[in-house]
Amino acid sequence: AMNDGSVDVARPSTTRSTDFDAIVVGAGISGMFMLYRLLELGLTTRVFEAGSDIGGTWYWNRYPGARFDSESWTYGYSFSKELLQEWDWKEHFSPQPDTLAYLNHVADKFDLRRDMQFRSRVKSATWDEANTAWIVTLEDGSRATATFLFTAMGVLSTPTLPKIPGRESFAGQAYHPGLWPHTPVDFTGKRVGIIGTGATAIQAIPEIAKTARQLTVFQRRPNWAAPLHNAKISKAEMEEIKSRYDEIYAHCRTTATSFIHNADPRATFDVSPQEREAFWEKLYAEPGFGIWVGNFRDSYIDEKANAELSAFVADKIRGRVNNRKVAELLIPKDHGFGTRRVPLESGYFEAYNRHNVLLVDVIKDQSIECITRNGVKTTKQEYEFDILIYATGFDGVTGAVDRIDFRGADGVRLKDVWAEGEPRTFLGMLAERFPNLLMVLGPHTARGNVPHGIEHCVEWHTGLVRFMLEHGYKRVEPKPDHVAEWTRTVLKVSEPLLAQKVDSWQTGVNRNVDGRLVRRVLGYNGHAVTYRKTTDDVAKGGYREISFR
């Protein structure tokens, strides 16, 4: 499925020594847009995708309750005015099936599938210096070569199962939310166990509780969460949103996290306790992330300020959970509100008021010993289940990269280079000793509203490749001193953050993965505007920080 229909403007008509000009790993939001831009440049491109179709996160995560927690109308692609005008979002926070339908619409509109190969999981990628090419090997043993290799695997795409013995002995159905079946799972009248109370569990628990005979939640450490306040979008409201898209996206380009919210310029103790309370009440009652990223500017750098905010949210949880003991178990004591990514919920805390929902605290009260044929055995008793759900999250940011054996110049392994402390990159997009490896949303890029981050990375890479085509360059690699400087910059902007003192996927800690117990800085935690300016300045300056041949 070569893209022979395009007008070949950028490429000189030389005989290609590789199978493709570019290979992209992943057909989610990143891979789809990267492919679109590469085809525009006239590059023959092949996307390898492990799943059976496009969609990435929204293809794999089909669990009950899966949805956006950023406003739908700020989440889509902004590169096509026509696309913005023809798509109607049904809800302010789009559920997974609608989001996947949107991405399918994009794939159809721009005819992206013909350059994609599905059910093709990449096993290894080896740099061939003699031919200035990457050799990509799939799990089925087939190989393909390309001058450029783009990683578009996402930051949360590698599910992790819990390190609990006996998992294979369970006789019932067992699922991970990130590997959910494509046919609905019926919980009616079933005894269900769910291990974990992170972001996926917080979305799934209220939904499963509606139909399950009994839902038992095993919690190791509670997470803060705040109300989503989702609502349908009427036809008239959608038309009004469409009329403001330029303004909406321009606004998102000014905020620290690329969401619609901006931190309040005031500090927590600049205002009276009454004003503070009123401000928090307002944010808590509003849809979306305002309570997290629209809060006082010192909320996540000043411990006293954060303690006040955490106390406010803790009181909200107490007010929503009838049983005082259960409420206390659901309130985090080991980290402050907003120091980990805040999941937004729809009736999560109220789910524990239902007679069919039981919370088991596996830290203080009892611990899980093993999974048995019938269910879960703790130090106190055995719980019997028909269905078990491992809501034990993902090996964040570097997990997907680690699953592929990337070997750069002189056979150096990317996994080894990144295992010692922080990942080392230039702008989160290029890695030293890994020529022509271009990362979309790699570690040390700006996060926040992910599709905005993706679009920026894709446009930056497109500019870089265009520059190479214009100058006849075949090989690109960042200069080591600029990699070191960028790594220092990333560490420096993270220093003041309370989040860096907390174990989370964003600081690289995952007890279900070997070697994931030391905190690291895995993202650029500065202002999104600063990140974009820094990266754009490199392009405007003619990429002096990068070596070309």
Side-chain angles (χ1 to χ4, degrees), residues 113-127:
R113 283 190 185 80
R114 63 177 171 160
D115 293 289
M116 295 178 170
Q117 190 176 310
F118 299 108
R119 297 184 180 85
S120 302
R121 191 178 285 280
V122 173
K123 185 183 178 190
S124 68
T126 307
W127 175 248

Side-chain angles (χ1 to χ4, degrees), residues 164-176 190-195 218 370-377 382-390:
I164 301 170
R167 279 200 332 260
E168 57 297 321
S169 62
F170 181 60
Q173 301 158 264
Y175 306 107
H176 186 289
K190 300 274 175 39
R191 297 164 304 171
V192 184
I194 185 165
I195 297 173
F218 295 92
C370 60
I371 307 289
T372 64
R373 183 179 160 75
N374 298 319
V376 175
K377 186 175 185 297
E382 186 172 353
Y383 297 83
E384 295 195 356
F385 299 117
D386 305 302
I387 299 173
L388 254 183
I389 298 165
Y390 299 118

Side-chain angles (χ1 to χ4, degrees), residues 33 76-79 249 450-460:
F33 187 36
Y77 293 112
S78 66
F79 70 89
Y249 279 88
V450 169
H452 289 253
I454 287 169
E455 280 198 318
H456 177 75
C457 288
V458 168
E459 299 293 15
W460 193 86

Side-chain angles (χ1 to χ4, degrees), residues 13 18 68 123 133 187 222 237 264 330 341 345 388 426 458:
S13 58
T18 53
F68 286 166
K123 185 183 178 190
F187 299 101
E237 190 180 3
D264 192 279
L330 291 167
R341 191 187 187 286
E345 43 78 29
L388 254 183
F426 180 56
V458 168

